[in-house]
Amino acid sequence: MSAIKARRRRRMVTALVLGLVGVVALPAGLVVGTNSLLNTSGGKSIDQTPALQIPTTPAGLLVGVNESDEVTMMALLAIAPGAKGGTIVSIPVGANAEIPKSGEIHRVADTYKTSGFDAFVIDVEGLLNVTFSVAAKVNTAELAAMLAPIGDQSILIEKEAINTELDGTDAVVLSAGQQTLTPMQIAQGLMARKTGALESDRLSRIKLLWETVAKAIPMTSVSPSTTQTTRSTTPVIPTDIASFFAAVISGPVQNWQLTGTFVSEPQRNPGPRDLYDLDGGEIIMVMASVVPSSVTAGSAMISFLIDSPFTDARITRQAVLRLAYIGANVIVVREVPGAPAAHTVIKYNDEIVRSDLELFTTLFGPIEFNKTDERVEGIDAQLVLGEDFRAFIGSAQGATISTTTTLVGS
């Protein structure tokens, strides 16, 4: 197993064992873009079995670097199907990027200082379990130029934003209170970092500023038909970060900020450093919702598409974590309309994988297995959550998972 794959597995297992009761509340509409991800009349495979397609959903990495050449902001940019609009996912720069082989933990932003930008990008790809089509660093002026199309925006700043300048002095870049901000001021607020201050103190401001950017794009700027993919249309993926960002803000924009929990244990974080554990289940769920075609399979095990009729993201997260725990890959997560069916169903196309699918019953409770002729390229099985899964995870038997359970592929 490669170092990156091992890191992904360890992070997901830790998230499951330690974070089963964590709450992840997906914002309304986050997974709406993936509800129509799969064509109902996709291409044909060699054996002529109809194959549904996962359309191109490229991921870009936008990295903000200050005058001291420190990473102070980073965001995953996701272009929606149809190449108009998308999602901005804010990532804590102090995220824990543990190397399991040595047991060393470090801030992902520190990789940039110690090993350079290319190594930093690889570290973030391992952290998020995705492959970036574009990755680039920008300064404040360059970020402001990218934000220029949204114009000035009215916003309520609850706490002033302070930035430590190159000469070591602190400067207020955003005052507290209701005000109208220019694209340059929004960029300054996103990039601002006071030396010695915890990143957790500024995450709420970063979230607010990205929300402001998202809301500045009219939701009616793209007609519904442009979010549908066709066999004859292949979107052109931008090759530079400015064009990539322009594609994201050319249509409806959603935003999301990954949860970071400060690492307070002295044995894991001596010093302590400004270090944060991310929620592995949240990462899988969000990445599989907004950039499924960019998700990298972390193991040789079965790859899943999850359909969840539940509006409570905690239920979907439970399914994601349980699949990851046993070593499966979660490639696509969709929120589907309608009331949940009584039973949880796994649909599969290849009889060879049926015996492997039987492994999942211990973590999901009762499951119905349905063989189907319908296939999704890159997907081995489709999990459709039902009411019996919600009942199972709420029961004494299903509420917790034994840490002695054998991990397939470990």
Side-chain angles (χ1 to χ4, degrees):
M1 182 182 294
S2 69
I4 287 180
K5 287 184 178 179
R7 189 188 313 167
R8 288 169 181 158
R9 284 296 310 282
R10 181 162 176 173
R11 182 175 295 114
M12 297 313 141
V13 171
T14 300
L16 180 61
V17 175
L18 301 181
L20 277 175
V21 297
V23 175
V24 177
L26 289 174
L30 178 62
V31 293
V32 168
T34 65
N35 289 347
S36 57
L37 274 176
L38 305 179
N39 297 324
T40 56
S41 56
K44 301 284 185 177
S45 65
I46 294 176
D47 64 3
Q48 298 302 304
T49 302
L52 307 182
Q53 307 292 315
I54 300 175
T56 302
T57 48
L61 179 62
L62 175 64
V63 183
V65 179
N66 66 9
E67 293 181 341
S68 300
D69 200 30
E70 299 170 316
V71 174
T72 61
M73 181 277 297
M74 61 178 178
L76 176 140
L77 306 177
I79 298 179
K84 295 283 187 180
T87 307
I88 300 170
V89 181
S90 178
I91 311 161
V93 301
N96 174 18
E98 182 175 358
I99 301 176
K101 187 174 182 179
S102 64
E104 176 189 353
I105 63 176
H106 65 280
R107 300 172 71 252
V108 69
D110 290 345
T111 302
Y112 172 67
K113 293 192 298 183
T114 60
S115 304
F117 188 72
D118 290 344
F120 165 77
V121 172
I122 292 173
D123 225 10
V124 180
E125 286 183 327
L127 183 72
L128 302 181
N129 199 33
V130 300
T131 299
F132 293 116
S133 300
V134 178
K137 57 181 179 178
V138 297
N139 58 31
T140 304
E142 291 167 333
L143 179 58
M146 293 166 60
L147 293 170
I150 71 170
D152 296 350
Q153 297 294 320
S154 178
I155 185 173
L156 174 62
I157 301 295
E158 294 185 355
K159 183 179 179 181
E160 65 181 9
I162 300 174
N163 183 61
T164 301
E165 305 294 331
L166 193 58
D167 62 4
T169 60
D170 291 338
V172 176
V173 297
L174 294 180
S175 301
Q178 185 71 43
Q179 56 201 286
T180 298
L181 301 183
T182 65
M184 173 57 80
Q185 289 174 308
I186 294 175
Q188 289 173 329
L190 287 169
M191 301 277 277
R193 174 185 178 273
K194 180 181 179 181
T195 299
L198 292 175
E199 184 180 8
S200 54
D201 292 340
R202 57 192 178 94
L203 286 178
S204 60
R205 179 182 74 244
I206 292 173
K207 179 180 179 181
L208 175 63
L209 291 172
W210 280 129
E211 284 177 348
T212 301
V213 172
K215 292 176 181 177
I217 311 300
M219 293 301 288
T220 57
S221 59
V222 176
S223 63
S225 61
T226 62
T227 64
Q228 304 294 324
T229 60
T230 66
R231 282 178 288 169
S232 60
T233 302
T234 302
V236 176
I237 301 174
T239 57
D240 64 273
I241 200 66
S243 299
F244 205 99
F245 188 80
V248 172
I249 66 171
S250 67
V253 179
Q254 303 173 114
N255 71 284
W256 180 263
Q257 183 164 285
L258 294 177
T259 305
T261 303
F262 182 73
V263 180
S264 58
E265 301 94 324
Q267 67 275 20
R268 296 183 62 224
N269 187 19
R273 293 162 290 183
D274 193 22
L275 181 72
Y276 301 85
D277 281 333
L278 301 190
D279 183 309
E282 179 187 29
I283 290 174
I284 298 176
M285 185 166 58
V286 173
M287 296 303 112
S289 295
V290 300
V291 286
S293 76
S294 299
V295 171
T296 304
S299 75
M301 276 287 287
I302 295 173
S303 293
F304 275 86
L305 178 156
I306 298 177
D307 279 343
S308 176
F310 297 102
T311 56
D312 185 347
R314 292 173 296 182
I315 299 174
T316 306
R317 177 176 174 271
Q318 283 283 338
V320 166
L321 284 169
R322 288 161 191 258
L323 290 178
Y325 184 69
I326 206 167
N329 303 292
V330 179
I331 306 299
V332 182
V333 173
R334 302 190 299 176
E335 184 180 285
V336 295
H343 303 297
T344 296
V345 176
I346 289 183
K347 300 179 181 180
Y348 63 98
N349 175 264
D350 192 339
E351 196 65 44
I352 295 175
V353 305
R354 172 61 190 265
S355 59
D356 291 333
L357 292 172
E358 297 285 354
L359 296 170
F360 297 92
T361 58
T362 58
L363 300 181
F364 283 82
I367 292 178
E368 291 185 358
F369 295 93
N370 292 343
K371 192 173 186 300
T372 176
D373 291 333
E374 192 174 71
R375 291 195 313 110
V376 180
E377 289 192 359
I379 300 295
D380 299 303
Q382 178 183 4
L383 172 65
V384 184
L385 299 179
E387 285 289 357
D388 48 10
F389 176 66
R390 173 158 56 182
F392 179 71
I393 63 177
S395 69
Q397 178 186 3
T400 59
I401 298 174
S402 172
T403 56
T404 60
T405 299
T406 300
L407 297 182
V408 177
S410 61

